[in-house]
Amino acid sequence: MNCTVRKITVSELPRLTELFDYNDIDDMIAENTSLIKNGTIDIFILLEGEKLIGELHVSYESNDKLEAVRGVRAYLSAYRVHKDFQGMGLGKFLMKSVVDTLASEGYSEFTVGVEDDNDRAFHIYKEFGFSEVIARKYEEYQGDGYEYNLYLKRL
């Protein structure tokens, strides 16, 4: 399988609905457009040819310094691989590609949030060295609430 990883463009944001069922697509597009344009985030996508099969959001800044500090610590979220492509190592390929890219830009710490019932994500993150719990967090997105542990990986 010949897959590539690259940053999504603003015009491609509607494609993210292929991987997640957003409650408000227009809000998601507007929010991510603003964040990408001001350099606060990037969204890396995994493609097989032109087929979108994965995504990983990277936040470079956060109001919570435990999550992200520009140039030092990046917060990784919305890590998804299309269900038809899970279990093939493609999610690991996506994660490794993104971490390697950010490390080459000087980032040495990475954080992820993992909900208690997400065993698949926890297993993958643990394999990548996200082992230190540094906070218990709660956030809401488009009306849904998420409680999770914030894990840290240091290079």
Side-chain angles (χ1 to χ4, degrees):
M1 190 168 292
N2 190 13
C3 292
T4 56
V5 174
R6 66 170 172 79
K7 295 175 185 176
I8 199 169
T9 63
V10 167
S11 64
E12 295 174 304
L13 285 169
R15 294 190 65 190
L16 296 180
T17 60
E18 297 169 28
L19 297 173
F20 188 76
D21 185 19
Y22 291 90
N23 294 337
D24 186 335
I25 296 166
D26 292 336
D27 180 60
M28 177 276 288
I29 292 170
E31 178 185 13
N32 285 313
T33 296
S34 172
L35 293 170
I36 289 170
K37 284 185 174 179
N38 74 20
T40 304
I41 71 162
D42 279 315
I43 300 172
F44 289 82
I45 54 175
L46 176 64
L47 300 161
E48 181 193 29
E50 287 304 307
K51 179 161 181 58
L52 177 64
I53 58 176
E55 68 180 298
L56 180 57
H57 297 219
V58 177
S59 298
Y60 302 109
E61 298 175 6
S62 173
N63 293 332
D64 183 349
K65 299 298 183 212
L66 289 176
E67 282 183 358
V69 177
R70 184 171 290 283
V72 177
R73 179 180 290 182
Y75 177 63
L76 311 179
S77 63
Y79 178 39
R80 301 185 181 102
V81 174
H82 189 283
K83 62 178 174 36
D84 294 346
F85 293 88
Q86 292 178 0
M88 303 168 76
L90 297 172
K92 292 175 187 173
F93 174 71
L94 173 59
M95 175 67 73
K96 182 176 180 347
S97 297
V98 171
V99 168
D100 288 352
T101 296
L102 297 173
S104 75
E105 295 171 5
Y107 283 84
S108 60
E109 298 179 353
F110 305 90
T111 57
V112 295
V114 183
E115 294 173 72
D116 296 340
D117 62 351
N118 195 341
D119 292 333
R120 170 176 249 141
F122 177 74
H123 173 75
I124 292 169
Y125 290 136
K126 187 175 179 187
E127 208 172 290
F128 270 94
F130 291 92
S131 54
E132 183 183 347
V133 176
I134 58 172
R136 184 76 178 161
K137 309 270 293 181
Y138 179 82
E139 70 180 57
E140 290 187 12
Y141 182 72
Q142 293 194 348
D144 295 321
Y146 303 93
E147 189 173 353
Y148 58 91
N149 286 326
L150 186 68
Y151 287 85
L152 173 67
K153 168 193 175 75
R154 300 174 204 265
L155 296 184

